[in-house]
Each structure stands twice: as structure tokens, then as C-alpha cells.
Amino acid sequence: MNVYDAGRMADVMAVHGYAQTDCADEAEITVLNTCHIREKASEKLFSDLGRLRRSSRRRARNEGENAPIVVVAGCVAQAEGAEIMRRAPWVDIVVGPQTYHRLPELVRRARTGERGLLDIEFPLESKFDRLPEEGASQGPAAFLTIQEGCDKFCSFCVVPYTRGGEHSRPVAAVVAEAGRLIEWGAREITLLGQNVNAYHGEAPRGGAEWGLGRLIRALADLPGLARIRYTTSHPRDMDEDLIAAHGEVPALMPYLHLPVQSGSDRVLAAMGRRHTAGEYVDLVGRLRAARPGLALSSDFIVGHPGEEEADFEATMALVRTVGFAQAYSFKYSPRPGTPASAAGNQIGEAVKADRLARLQDLLNAQQREFNRRTVGRTVPVLFDRRGRRPHQLAGRTPAMQAVHTTCEDPESLMGEIRDVIVTEAHANSLAGELADARSPFAGASRNPETGRAIA
Ligand code: SAH
Ligand code: SF4
């Protein structure tokens, strides 16, 4: 979501003549877009700010220029705006995730010498109505925010405080933005939201609000769009229509990020997740019945207050039962203002570190095995990036695995979906050869995803 937000901030500034630069030392405005979900992420901001201050002072001294305008955006800005201004008074602008459409006006005021500009409201107007429609292309694999905020208040999580209450964009706005992304070259769209499957958007022609399943079916009809994904979803919001969509919509990729956090019912209750481990496993069963071979990813937290060894073992057991294609796992990190941070039964750092290492060993082994099973298979890959070496290009399989391959003219395949024969599996990626480069008879077969002949 931060990548998406950063893109929208660039769009908003582009209207006023600014362009992005890869070189921080060239920038007239530097925006640090921040995440507050774990402690590490917010501590990083203050070390980045220190570095930025040293380099901008050096630059102002060397070149006699004005120091660049420094903006802190995102969820740390929302949560710690005043604290940022106090600890780093050279920061010109602090803007929260709901008001970055006002960035040009804030920059204009900073340019006239105003200091300490802080805008962390949750305004009544939706920022999406204020963002420019035209923007830079996101390339073949694009993101589209359809929902923001959360009303679930899990014990450990700052999202409801930093991103505010749940808000879904109207169907018509989502479809229009999807259309523009496709026009600019998107073949794949990942629908984003903190709780994306809680989506309930205003229907295009009145009537009952649409859920995510219905929205996905409508987007799948857009010409040119080959792949749809969504993230991040909550097990409790997985309704029957969405489960069925996994079986019925070929464009909906057979990969799902479905965070479970823990495999212990006691910890899940303390987290306020409002489902059990058994219900999660049952849900996975129904999803896999709808879409055989569905690859799963998840989020895990180890060391939530009160987590005992037996609870952690229950998480390990759930991982063995489900089998994940990949996953993200974190040590519990107390976040200011959340109920869990005030709990008395905090877990020691060494115990957290030990559990995380054991969990990651298991998850990594499952990921390696998942990748290894792809070797020898032919998989459709959407190419969206150049590789680091000449003639190399990279893309993703339907199950989100990164794939590298080589060809004479990588540029010509950018945005194309082509069959690749997987030859090697690594921990985090695959390598392969283009199927049509290998077989003179490849023209006879069809790409199962696009239905097109491979030629
Ligand atoms: N809405 C999603 C989660 C979004 S936050 C859900 O309910 O599943 C992304 C991930 O960050 C979470 O799934 C969780 O695993 C992790 N996370 C959030 N708060 C955390 C904390 N205080 N400590 C450690 N990990 C945390
Ligand atoms: Fe945070 Fe997700 Fe829980 Fe909402 S549902 S509070 S975003 S972990």
C-alpha cells in the first residue's frame, strides 16, 4: 500500500511540474513515506532523517542552494506527527496517509517560508476524489487501492488508529481506475486494502453494495486485463461468493495471502481475531476445493503477550497442516496505544527470537519445496521487469513466484504473458527458458491462462 501511496503522491506532484528522481541528492523535495506497523519501521525513519539532514546540509554548503524540502508522510507521520517535529525540527511538512492529496498546497506554503506544517486529519472528503486521474504508468503489474482503514482493532495492531475506520471506494471509481491502468499497460492488477475482502463498495447503478467477489467478476470482464490478485485479506471476511470466485474466475490468480497470525486458539482469542485455528484450516479446505492447487501465503506473529510454548507449537502444527507457498513472520512488537502493548504478560526478546527462527526454518523449507515442485513444469509468466544482466528479464508465475529468464530482446516481451519451462528453483525465485524458444512445435499448444496459441 505504501508503494501505491508513494505513486499517488508522485502523481499529485507531477501535475505541478515535479518529476521523480532516483538520486536523492538531486531532489528539491524529499518525501519519506513511512510505515508504523512494527517498531523497526518507525525507528528507521529517525535514522533516515538524520542521514538526510547531514547530506542536505552538505549540499547547501557546497552548492549554495536552498536545502531541499523534507516531507514525512504515511502512518508514522499520522501517529507521531508532533513528536517528529520535536525530534527533527528541520522537517518541513508532516502529512498523514489520508491527506497527501494536499501535498502541493503544503509544499507551496513551505516554499514561502512557513515552518512546521502538520496535516494529519481524517478529512470527510475521500482523498481518492481529489487525486489526479492522469498519472504515471505503473507498468504491467499495477496496484489499485479499493479499500482503506480497518474497524477490527486486533490487540496488537495500529492500523485502525493510523489509517482510520474502514472505507470502501465506489465500484464505478474502481472500474474507472482499472480501465486507466490497463490503458497505460497493466496486464495484472492487485487490489489493495488493509482488509481488502471487507470491501463493500457503492454499486454502480444503485442497489445493494458490492462485495469483493462481485467486483472481481466485473473487473475480469475488462478487455486487456489478464490477471487479478488482492491483498490483504482477513479470514473472517472470506464470504461464499469470494470463495466461489476463486473457482470461477480464471483471471483471479491461484495465490492468496490470508494472514492467520497464530495457530493457537488461546492466542487468537487474546489477539481478538474472532476465529479459531480450526476455522482457518476449514476455510483453506473450502478455498482449495474451489480452486485446486491454490497457493497460500500468510502472516504470523510470534511472542504475542501470553504466548506459551504450547501455543507456539500449535502455530507450527497449523503451518504443517496447511503448507504455505511463502509467508511473512514477525516478532510481536508493542505498538503505542494498542491493548496488547499494555498487557502484563509480555514475552522476552530471546524467546521471541528463538520462536521466530524455528518458525522461519519451517516456512522457508515449505517455500523451497513449493518452488522445487515447479521445476520441469511449464508456467505462464507475466514479464514486468528487466533483469540485472543483459538479455535477462523477470516476471511472476500465477503463484507469485519470481522467474528469471533470458532472451534476445527482453524489451519486446515486457508486459507479455509467455510460457516458461522452469529449469531451476532457488529459495526466493525460479529460473527457466521461454517455451517457444525451446520447441519448434510450441505453436501447437495454448497458454492455459490466456487461451492464446504459443507462437
Ligand atoms: N489486515 C491484515 C494485517 C495487516 S498488518 C490482517 O488482519 O491480517 C500486516 C501484518 O503485520 C499483520 O498481518 C501482522 O502479522 C503484522 N503486524 C501487525 N502489527 C504487528 C505488531 N504489533 N507486531 C508484529 N507484527 C505485527
Ligand atoms: Fe490490523 Fe488487520 Fe487486525 Fe485490522 S484486521 S486491526 S489491519 S491486524
Side-chain angles (χ1 to χ4, degrees):
M1 292 203 74
N2 274 16
V3 172
Y4 177 90
D5 283 348
R8 300 295 70 71
M9 283 186 251
D11 291 350
V12 124
M13 296 310 293
V15 172
H16 296 266
Y18 291 87
Q20 286 188 70
T21 168
D22 291 333
C23 172
D25 278 345
E26 269 176 13
E28 285 173 53
I29 305 174
T30 305
V31 182
L32 295 174
N33 192 25
T34 60
C35 175
H36 199 230
I37 200 87
R38 284 176 298 278
E39 207 166 3
K40 250 194 183 156
S42 53
E43 273 315 306
K44 193 169 176 298
L45 167 69
F46 287 103
S47 65
D48 284 350
L49 277 175
R51 201 155 2 99
L52 195 60
R53 186 190 197 197
R54 286 189 294 279
S55 72
S56 63
R57 277 186 165 173
R58 198 169 44 241
R59 187 171 132 192
R61 213 177 28 242
N62 291 349
E63 301 175 19
E65 288 176 7
N66 291 333
I69 289 178
V70 176
V71 183
V72 178
C75 290
V76 181
Q78 187 70 40
E80 298 181 15
E83 173 72 2
I84 294 166
M85 290 296 189
R86 194 186 60 76
R87 271 177 75 174
W90 62 91
V91 169
D92 301 281
I93 297 168
V94 170
V95 63
Q98 300 308 331
T99 45
Y100 60 68
H101 55 288
R102 299 178 185 160
L103 198 51
E105 173 61 12
L106 293 164
V107 166
R108 191 195 59 74
R109 286 165 61 190
R111 287 233 179 274
T112 63
E114 264 189 78
R115 313 277 316 152
L117 292 158
L118 179 69
D119 189 348
I120 51 172
E121 266 183 63
F122 287 122
L124 286 176
E125 88 250 15
S126 160
K127 68 174 177 237
F128 295 110
D129 299 334
R130 315 280 156 147
L131 291 170
E133 289 195 350
E134 297 307 317
S137 161
Q138 291 188 46
F143 295 122
L144 199 174
T145 291
I146 62 165
Q147 178 279 340
E148 281 203 302
C150 180
D151 296 327
K152 290 200 169 63
F153 291 92
C154 298
S155 63
F156 52 85
C157 182
V158 288
V159 165
Y161 309 92
T162 53
R163 289 264 171 174
E166 207 283 321
H167 165 80
S168 294
R169 294 176 70 188
V171 171
V174 171
V175 172
E177 187 167 336
R180 287 194 293 274
L181 291 170
I182 296 166
E183 225 171 89
W184 298 328
R187 303 290 321 275
E188 168 178 310
I189 293 183
T190 300
L191 305 172
L192 296 178
Q194 267 90 13
N195 251 272
V196 74
N197 56 340
Y199 179 80
H200 55 101
E202 187 188 313
R205 281 173 293 278
E209 287 174 335
W210 286 24
L212 183 59
R214 187 153 182 206
L215 180 72
I216 287 170
R217 290 169 205 270
L219 293 174
D221 286 340
L222 294 177
L225 187 60
R227 292 180 166 195
I228 301 172
R229 305 178 188 277
Y230 61 93
T231 199
T232 237
S233 44
H234 192 291
R236 274 186 59 94
D237 294 318
M238 225 54 226
D239 65 22
E240 288 308 322
D241 184 46
L242 184 54
I243 295 172
H246 277 276
E248 293 163 7
V249 181
L252 183 55
M253 289 291 98
Y255 167 91
L256 177 62
H257 181 66
L258 190 63
V260 64
Q261 315 298 355
S262 169
S264 153
D265 289 346
R266 221 174 57 83
V267 172
L268 287 168
M271 288 176 163
R273 297 289 291 180
R274 295 191 289 147
H275 65 79
T276 62
E279 282 163 353
Y280 182 87
V281 171
D282 177 65
L283 175 59
V284 166
R286 285 187 288 142
L287 280 158
R288 283 182 169 155
R291 184 87 187 235
L294 180 75
L296 278 171
S297 158
S298 199
D299 289 344
F300 296 89
I301 296 179
V302 298
H304 182 273
E307 184 189 75
E308 291 175 7
E309 180 61 21
D311 298 308
F312 173 70
E313 282 301 338
T315 300
M316 296 287 275
L318 180 136
V319 173
R320 288 190 198 99
T321 303
V322 172
F324 291 94
Q326 68 130 58
Y328 303 90
S329 46
F330 316 100
K331 285 189 263 186
Y332 165 74
S333 124
R335 307 311 294 130
T338 58
S341 68
N345 46 1
Q346 300 291 328
I347 305 299
E349 193 49 39
V351 173
K352 284 191 216 173
D354 171 64
R355 289 181 188 162
L356 186 66
R358 283 151 67 200
L359 176 61
Q360 289 187 339
D361 277 350
L362 177 58
L363 290 168
N364 290 341
Q366 290 192 343
Q367 181 172 346
R368 279 196 305 274
E369 176 56 21
F370 181 80
N371 286 346
R372 197 193 55 75
R373 285 204 306 264
T374 321
V375 175
R377 292 204 193 148
T378 302
V379 285
V381 173
L382 169 60
F383 291 109
D384 62 344
R385 275 164 298 139
R386 297 290 300 262
R388 256 167 297 183
R389 275 174 266 140
H391 301 295
Q392 200 182 38
L393 77 166
R396 299 242 172 220
T397 68
M400 276 298 271
Q401 295 146 295
V403 183
H404 294 89
T405 189
T406 49
C407 78
E408 230 2 80
D409 179 14
E411 211 51 54
S412 69
L413 289 185
M414 219 46 73
E416 295 284 317
I417 295 172
R418 290 296 170 92
D419 279 352
V420 171
I421 302 162
V422 178
T423 52
E424 283 171 51
H426 309 286
N428 293 310
S429 65
L430 306 171
E433 293 169 16
L434 286 166
D436 52 356
R438 200 193 250 192
S439 159
F441 307 110
S445 55
R446 287 191 174 271
N447 180 321
E449 198 180 321
T450 59
R452 271 199 241 118
I454 304 162

